[in-house]
Amino acid sequence: MTSTVPASLARTAGGSALQAVFLDMDGTLVDTEGFWWEAEVEVFADLGHDLDEAWRDVVVGGPMTRSAGYLIKATGADISLAELTVLLNERFEDRIARGVPLMPGAERLLAELAEHNIPTALVSASHRRIIDRVLASLGRDRFALTVAGDEVARTKPHPDPYLFAARGLGAEPPRCAVIEDTATGVASAEAAGCMVVAVPSVAPIAPGDGRVVVGSLEEVDLSFLRTLITRMN
């Protein structure tokens, strides 16, 4: 977990009930969920296996260990989880090295949060080496804290990543707004007790208690997030 948050930054969300905003990375801020699937398809093709498109919804948004483990079992590929993880990370890094497209509305939202000094964290199931590369496109200074999937004992869908983020920013989970694009990420945030804005990228997500679903980040701004926290608490 990497943090640059000064003590004075915590609990400065403009005097509202909103104390912090946590954002997922792949598929939420950057348009990379397709990159991961393409990397998985290519790596398994090299191993002599074709991936079923239906498996994409199963592996999206999950930690590398779960996604890779599922694909090994589904295909019967003769490769260890550790070996496959290395291959997938390398193939994905090759793709993001050519540039990472931001999701519609991401740049504006990050700029608004920074302008209003909202404590903001990037919370991803991706490994630190991947996050650090993507931060070159997102802007490392936009985030007071970044949490990677290989830095917590249990990553998404467990609550650990978001509980770490809340503690790191000195915030109470019910007063933190989380923006996620997958059911796995939503489950993690809700298990931590956070309020969730779901922006589905690959598979649909249904509305629920403590959760709203929007079509894109273009529908999300600071006023929207503050209203969400006020209404839900």
Side-chain angles (χ1 to χ4, degrees):
M1 179 171 63
T2 299
S3 174
T4 59
V5 61
S8 61
L9 186 58
R11 303 180 187 275
T12 59
S16 74
L18 176 68
Q19 291 181 342
V21 176
F22 305 149
L23 302 110
D24 174 55
M25 186 177 75
D26 296 301
T28 299
L29 288 176
V30 290
D31 191 7
T32 51
E33 288 293 7
F35 287 12
W36 277 114
W37 179 247
E38 290 166 8
E40 289 159 347
V41 168
E42 291 175 3
V43 167
F44 275 91
D46 291 344
L47 296 171
H49 298 275
D50 294 326
L51 297 188
D52 189 321
E53 183 70 23
W55 297 341
R56 183 174 182 176
D57 288 353
V58 179
V59 300
V60 65
M64 178 73 73
T65 51
R66 191 200 74 184
S67 300
Y70 174 87
L71 293 175
I72 290 173
K73 184 176 180 180
T75 61
D78 184 18
I79 188 171
S80 71
L81 181 60
E83 291 171 328
L84 180 58
T85 296
V86 171
L87 293 178
L88 290 175
N89 273 323
E90 288 178 347
R91 193 65 60 96
F92 185 75
E93 284 187 77
D94 288 343
R95 289 186 170 277
I96 62 176
R98 306 169 205 161
V100 180
L102 271 62
M103 298 296 285
E107 174 65 32
R108 177 207 37 86
L109 178 59
L110 290 173
E112 183 181 18
L113 294 175
E115 179 184 355
H116 292 272
N117 296 316
I118 305 300
T120 303
L122 182 70
V123 182
S124 176
S126 291
H127 289 188
R128 170 56 57 185
R129 59 189 284 188
I130 299 297
I131 288 179
D132 285 344
R133 280 186 174 269
V134 175
L135 283 172
S137 297
L138 281 175
R140 191 178 302 272
D141 60 343
R142 255 81 179 271
F143 305 97
L145 175 73
T146 61
V147 181
D150 56 343
E151 295 174 339
V152 290
R154 301 183 306 169
T155 189
K156 304 174 186 179
H158 298 287
D160 304 40
Y162 285 110
L163 292 176
F164 268 114
R167 284 196 293 269
L169 294 185
E172 303 164 28
R175 294 193 174 188
C176 297
V178 172
I179 304 177
E180 276 278 0
D181 73 304
T182 67
T184 299
V186 168
S188 174
E190 292 182 341
C194 301
M195 301 296 104
V196 179
V197 178
V199 191
S201 61
V202 176
I205 298 173
D209 292 339
R211 176 199 320 166
V212 297
V213 180
V214 299
S216 81
L217 289 180
E218 293 181 316
E219 300 176 42
V220 181
D221 59 15
L222 181 54
S223 176
F224 177 90
L225 296 175
R226 283 175 168 163
T227 299
L228 171 69
I229 295 296
T230 301
R231 177 163 54 89
M232 296 297 184
N233 280 279

